[in-house]
């Protein structure tokens, strides 16, 4: 790391103390951001940290929907995101108008929305879920209830295969990074690293095929959220892992399990939105208290119900 970056990091740490701020970072953030954060985690872990903090200022190093979730859980605190343009292709895959039309066609259905949605879409959902609890959330809903699951179809197919629910309708949305990870990539990586275990994110285009292959014992692997991957890799007796998700996860994996080897299924699996947060932008964010995340009050109130139902589970 060059001297200039080190100095900027020192300033960030000073300002963080002075302003009594909490820096949260997602597992896909660049290594320098993860290393300066107070907590690094997956969508669920970050929501939980945001909910329990007593700090007056939260700086969210992740994408906008995550910072909005932190604001919804902390309406009285100041929530900042260093770059408000840090979006998410999954969030873009459904609008609130599309969701309302879909609900009209299924008036009795329970709506389960993935956390990767905009605040106004969340406000129309009965439950919010993340990659680590989507199966549990769906299982908590009475079996005779129709479910609208949105917006990630690969996570939806995986949840459907796991829960064997026939009345689960799935929105055809996808994350461009994970959709591009196909079963052929998994097979090739597995051939190259025959002793490795696979760690697969449920948003991957191959997640349900992987589920059948692992159930058959054809490959050894687990379908997990990003933090689930870290916990699993630490405790597994395996010493090598092939990782099917955004490559930012390699940093916390290698940090938390330094004695093990991790290989990405696809080196190009990079979320350009997650990489928009830099040390420069984080420093400016703390100095100038920009960019403040705000969500209209009525939307916050409605969106909070589904998030809190999830956290209560
Ligand atoms: P996790 O909640 O598993 O970290 O996933 C978030 C995400 O955006 C995956 O692309
Ligand atoms: Fe969204 Fe995909 Fe990036 Fe995750 S990896 S933040 S789902 S675009």
């Amino acid at each position: 790391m060059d001297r200039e970056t080190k100095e900027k990091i020192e300033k960030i740490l000073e300002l963080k103390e002075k302003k009594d701020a909490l820096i949260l970072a997602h597992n896909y953030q660049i290594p320098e951001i993860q290393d300066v954060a107070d907590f690094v985690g997956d969508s669920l872990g970050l929501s939980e940290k945001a909910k329990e903090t007593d700090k007056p200022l939260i700086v969210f190093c992740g994408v906008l929907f995550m910072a909005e979730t932190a604001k919804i859980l902390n309406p009285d605190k100041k929530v900042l995101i260093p770059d408000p343009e840090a979006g998410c292709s999954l969030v873009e895959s459904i609008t609130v108008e599309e969701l309302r039309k879909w609900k009209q066609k299924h008036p009795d259905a329970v709506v389960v929305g993935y956390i990767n949605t905009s605040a106004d879409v969340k406000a129309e959902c009965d439950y919010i879920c993340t990659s680590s609890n989507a199966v549990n959330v769906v299982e908590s809903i009475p079996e005779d209830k129709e479910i609208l699951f949105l917006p990630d179809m690969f996570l939806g197919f995986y949840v459907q295969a796991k829960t064997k629910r026939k009345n689960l309708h799935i929105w055809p949305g996808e994350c461009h990074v994970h959709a591009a990870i196909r079963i052929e990539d998994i097979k090739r990586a597995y051939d190259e690293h025959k002793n490795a275990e696979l760690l697969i994110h449920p948003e991957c285009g191959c997640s349900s095929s992987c589920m059948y292959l692992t159930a058959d014992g054809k490959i050894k692997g687990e379908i997990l959220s990003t933090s689930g991957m870290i916990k699993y890799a630490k405790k597994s007796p395996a010493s090598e892992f092939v990782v099917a998700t955004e490559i930012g996860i390699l940093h916390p994996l290698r940090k938390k399990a330094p004695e093990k080897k991790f290989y990405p299924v696809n080196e190009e699996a990079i979320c350009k939105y997650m990489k928009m947060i830099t040390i420069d932008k984080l420093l400016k964010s703390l100095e100038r208290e920009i960019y403040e995340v705000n969500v209209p009050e009525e939307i916050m109130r409605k969106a909070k119900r589904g998030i809190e139902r999830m956290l209560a589970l």
Side-chain angles (χ1 to χ4, degrees):
M1 188 189 296
D2 58 53
R3 214 186 63 197
E4 211 185 321
T5 312
K6 271 194 194 144
E7 282 169 8
K8 284 177 185 162
I9 290 175
E10 270 164 32
K11 276 195 201 147
I12 289 172
L13 294 173
E14 264 168 40
L15 280 167
K16 190 185 75 135
E17 284 305 305
K18 196 168 138 205
K19 301 199 174 194
D20 198 18
L22 176 77
I23 303 180
L24 297 177
H26 185 264
N27 287 317
Y28 297 158
Q29 289 290 294
I30 59 167
E32 294 83 348
I33 293 285
Q34 294 196 28
D35 293 346
V36 87
D38 295 298
F39 177 79
V40 183
D42 63 4
S43 309
L44 180 64
L46 291 165
S47 305
E48 286 168 343
K49 278 281 170 233
K51 190 174 155 69
E52 73 193 30
T53 187
D54 50 14
K55 304 263 180 204
L57 180 65
I58 301 174
V59 188
F60 209 112
C61 299
V63 292
L64 186 62
F65 78 82
M66 296 179 172
E68 280 178 349
T69 307
K71 179 69 189 176
I72 293 164
L73 291 168
N74 289 287
D76 302 328
K77 290 185 183 146
K78 197 171 203 177
V79 177
L80 305 175
I81 183 161
D83 188 336
E85 301 294 316
C88 167
S89 54
L90 252 181
V91 171
E92 298 303 317
S93 65
I94 188 162
T95 63
V96 71
E97 291 77 22
E98 286 170 326
L99 174 54
R100 285 191 188 125
K101 274 194 202 141
W102 200 29
K103 282 171 73 170
Q104 274 166 15
K105 287 192 196 147
H106 303 272
D108 297 325
V110 175
V111 182
V112 179
Y114 192 32
I115 198 157
N116 299 45
T117 41
S118 61
D120 53 352
V121 165
K122 282 191 182 74
E124 292 284 330
C125 294
D126 299 301
Y127 285 86
I128 297 302
C129 70
T130 72
S131 56
S132 60
N133 60 22
V135 171
N136 293 350
V137 168
V138 167
E139 277 176 344
S140 75
I141 297 165
E143 261 179 56
D144 58 333
K145 274 278 177 198
E146 250 188 311
I147 296 179
L148 302 184
F149 188 91
L150 65 107
D152 188 66
M153 63 176 160
F154 297 113
L155 177 66
F157 297 149
Y158 166 70
V159 171
Q160 192 165 46
K162 271 289 220 202
T163 61
K164 301 196 172 45
R165 263 184 107 118
K166 302 248 178 329
N167 53 2
L168 186 87
H169 305 278
I170 300 168
W171 187 260
E174 61 178 34
C175 149
H176 69 293
V177 181
H178 287 87
I181 301 178
R182 317 296 306 180
I183 193 70
E184 300 72 39
D185 301 320
I186 301 281
K187 287 183 178 157
R188 188 183 17 80
Y190 204 63
D191 277 347
E192 280 169 24
H193 305 284
K194 292 215 161 51
N195 296 321
E197 264 195 83
L198 267 165
L199 305 174
I200 308 141
H201 195 277
E203 281 175 26
C204 288
C206 58
S207 59
S208 8
S209 321
C210 283
M211 193 185 127
Y212 292 113
L213 286 177
T214 50
D216 278 1
K218 292 205 172 93
I219 55 174
K220 196 159 167 18
E222 294 289 327
I223 297 166
L224 298 157
S225 75
T226 56
S227 290
M229 290 181 182
I230 300 168
K231 275 186 216 124
Y232 183 84
K234 275 168 67 180
K235 71 168 201 297
S236 163
S239 56
E240 287 183 277
F241 297 87
V242 164
V243 187
T245 190
E246 209 272 354
I247 59 164
I249 189 69
L250 295 169
H251 180 66
L253 280 169
R254 289 175 179 150
K255 206 169 154 178
K256 299 273 171 62
E259 70 291 1
K260 305 199 176 185
K261 289 207 160 59
F262 298 95
Y263 311 104
V265 160
N266 182 349
E267 303 255 8
E268 318 269 278
I270 299 172
C271 174
K272 62 179 181 194
Y273 305 111
M274 284 282 181
K275 310 303 181 212
M276 286 167 82
I277 311 296
T278 59
I279 287 291
D280 276 332
K281 289 183 193 170
L282 173 57
L283 178 56
K284 275 195 197 120
S285 177
L286 270 162
E287 276 170 349
R288 303 183 200 166
E289 300 200 9
I290 54 172
Y291 294 88
E292 191 170 352
V293 177
N294 279 310
V295 178
E297 218 161 288
E298 179 66 358
I299 294 201
M300 274 211 280
R301 195 182 54 74
K302 289 188 179 158
K304 200 172 179 180
R305 292 173 314 195
I307 303 172
E308 293 209 314
R309 270 188 201 136
M310 167 187 84
L311 293 176
L313 281 175

